[in-house]
């Protein structure tokens, strides 16, 4: 067994169980967070992808590879897009995002079931990355334009977005060339996709903590002394 295979076997279980970290943090912070929809979205995402990764071979045998990757990519996209949409303020941008998401779902279906990929849906992942990158840039644009957002790193969605970008952009080129490189080259570099996804799951956990703290934050009332100008 080569060195890269040992590294891959080491990181794969770490990656699989790292999906449960945001779930555990969500459960710990559940009573503190309000509203709770962010925790529910991330919690369902973590549990779903834990099972999709832990039982990969069994699920591929039952569902077939095309259906497995369709569910995997669509669920991932829906989760990331939902988290970004919730924090984007512009109604026009949200409406545009919904339209693009519908088109992406149709495109993903065609790629997976009509065109069919050889072994990996590289085109679908590249398209997903491009769309989510546009949403992420628009989120940052709104935040920097908002004068009240002095410290963007205190916003929980900042860490969600950074995690999503690290994962998608960090693994994009490996996914793009997955069908073109040899099995030896794939085993040499594939573990890097595990690393960036583990980082993403860690940042999701950080985002949940910040979200629960924000929910409990109550700004102090500034007491202004009463001045009776008539007495002056």
């Amino acid at each position: 067994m080569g060195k890269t295979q040992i590294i891959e076997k080491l990181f794969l279980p770490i990656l699989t169980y790292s999906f449960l970290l945001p779930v555990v943090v969500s459960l710990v912070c559940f009573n503190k967070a309000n509203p709770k929809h962010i925790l529910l979205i991330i919690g369902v995402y973590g549990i779903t992808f834990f099972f999709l990764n832990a039982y990969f071979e069994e699920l591929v045998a039952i569902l077939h590879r095309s259906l497995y990757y369709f569910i995997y990519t669509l669920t991932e996209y829906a989760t990331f897009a939902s988290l970004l949409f919730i924090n984007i303020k512009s109604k026009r941008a949200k409406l545009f995002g919904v339209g693009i998401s519908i088109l992406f779902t149709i495109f993903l279906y065609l790629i997976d079931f009509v065109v069919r990929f050889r072994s990996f849906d590289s085109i679908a992942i590249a398209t997903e990355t491009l769309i989510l990158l546009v949403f992420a840039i628009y989120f940052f644009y709104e935040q920097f334009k908002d004068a009240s957002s002095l410290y963007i790193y205190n916003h929980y969605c900042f860490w969600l977005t950074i995690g999503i970008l690290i994962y998608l952009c960090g693994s994009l080129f490996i996914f793009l060339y997955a069908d073109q490189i040899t099995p030896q080259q794939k085993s040499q570099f594939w573990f890097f996709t595990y690393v960036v996804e583990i980082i993403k799951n860690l940042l999701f956990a950080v985002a949940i903590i910040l979200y629960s703290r924000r929910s409990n934050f109550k700004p102090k009332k500034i007491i202004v002394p009463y001045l009776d100008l008539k007495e002056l």
Side-chain angles (χ1 to χ4, degrees), residues 3 11 37 109 117 122 133 151 162 199 210 221 231:
K3 186 177 179 181
F11 275 99
H37 58 285
Y109 176 83
F117 50 89
S122 305
L133 184 61
Y151 304 106
I162 292 297
I199 293 171
L210 288 176
K221 292 182 179 180
E231 295 179 359

Side-chain angles (χ1 to χ4, degrees), residues 121-190:
D121 55 344
S122 305
I123 298 174
I125 290 174
T127 307
E128 176 196 8
T129 302
L130 182 62
I131 294 170
L132 291 172
L133 184 61
V134 172
F135 294 161
I137 291 171
Y138 190 82
F139 164 73
F140 285 127
Y141 165 74
E142 280 194 337
Q143 290 298 310
F144 288 125
K145 193 175 70 169
D146 187 359
S148 63
S149 301
L150 297 177
Y151 304 106
I152 190 172
Y153 53 81
N154 287 332
H155 196 301
Y156 76 95
C157 193
F158 169 80
W159 297 103
L160 290 175
T161 308
I162 292 297
I164 291 168
L165 292 178
I166 288 174
Y167 162 59
L168 292 176
C169 298
S171 57
L172 176 61
F173 289 103
I174 298 174
F175 288 153
L176 277 178
Y177 293 100
D179 283 334
Q180 301 175 28
I181 60 179
T182 63
Q184 292 78 15
Q185 290 173 321
K186 189 181 289 188
S187 64
Q188 185 177 358
F189 298 106
W190 201 259

Side-chain angles (χ1 to χ4, degrees), residues 180-228:
Q180 301 175 28
I181 60 179
T182 63
Q184 292 78 15
Q185 290 173 321
K186 189 181 289 188
S187 64
Q188 185 177 358
F189 298 106
W190 201 259
F191 79 92
F192 186 73
T193 65
Y194 301 159
V195 174
V196 292
E197 189 150 24
I198 290 167
I199 293 171
K200 180 258 296 173
N201 292 336
L202 289 171
L203 292 178
F204 272 29
V206 171
I208 293 167
I209 294 170
L210 288 176
Y211 179 75
S212 63
R213 287 180 179 176
R214 189 196 71 166
S215 302
N216 288 324
F217 176 74
K218 294 181 181 178
K220 294 180 180 179
K221 292 182 179 180
I222 300 174
I223 301 173
V224 179
Y226 173 74
L227 296 176
D228 191 350

